[in-house]
Amino acid sequence: MALAITDSNFEELLASGKPVVVDFWATWCGPCKKIGPDIEALAEEYKEQAVIGKCDVEENDGLAMRFGVRNVPTVIFIKNGEVVDKQVGAAPKSTFEEKLKAIL
């Protein structure tokens, strides 16, 4: 299951040393709901290799502002504390998995 990533736990997740994938989403967003199951599946499949979670932009506007998220869904890929890739908008699971594999 994808972690709930919040303004308060984000730094702790970064400190894990694993790549971090954050799905910025909102409850009212149709495309967010469309990719949600794919993000959940990746979180389960790669739980030993990466931290994968979802960040509700309405409850965690600090993180959304920090990463310049203007549209949802936006999925960012972080390695060694730096954003190395980003997907704005819905995409097939394979797109997210390719981006994840590139940072593992």
Side-chain angles (χ1 to χ4, degrees), residues 11 18 94:
E11 291 301 325
K18 295 179 181 178
S94 60

Side-chain angles (χ1 to χ4, degrees), residues 1 3 14 16 18 20-22 26-27 32 36 41 44 48 50 62 67 75-76 80 86 91 95 98 102:
M1 183 168 144
L3 295 168
L14 272 185
S16 73
K18 295 179 181 178
V20 177
V21 178
V22 184
T27 56
C32 297
E44 183 61 30
E48 300 299 323
F67 291 104
V75 180
I76 62 169
N80 299 323
K86 174 172 33 173
T95 299
E98 286 172 20

Side-chain angles (χ1 to χ4, degrees), residues 2-99:
L3 295 168
I5 297 178
T6 65
D7 289 339
S8 60
N9 73 358
F10 181 72
E11 291 301 325
E12 178 182 327
L13 297 174
L14 272 185
S16 73
K18 295 179 181 178
V20 177
V21 178
V22 184
D23 172 18
F24 288 94
W25 71 287
T27 56
W28 47 262
C29 169
C32 297
K33 292 176 184 175
K34 182 178 184 290
I35 71 165
D38 293 338
I39 299 299
E40 293 285 344
L42 290 172
E44 183 61 30
E45 292 166 30
Y46 290 90
K47 65 184 173 189
E48 300 299 323
Q49 299 163 286
V51 175
I52 301 173
K54 299 169 68 65
C55 179
D56 185 330
V57 296
E58 292 185 328
E59 294 178 6
N60 300 282
D61 60 345
L63 273 179
M65 287 181 6
R66 175 176 172 179
F67 291 104
V69 174
R70 294 190 181 102
N71 300 299
V72 289
T74 293
V75 180
I76 62 169
F77 298 80
I78 302 168
K79 185 171 184 175
N80 299 323
E82 299 292 325
V83 176
V84 294
D85 206 346
K86 174 172 33 173
Q87 172 66 42
V88 179
K93 179 184 176 193
S94 60
T95 299
F96 299 112
E97 191 165 20
E98 286 172 20
K99 290 176 181 287

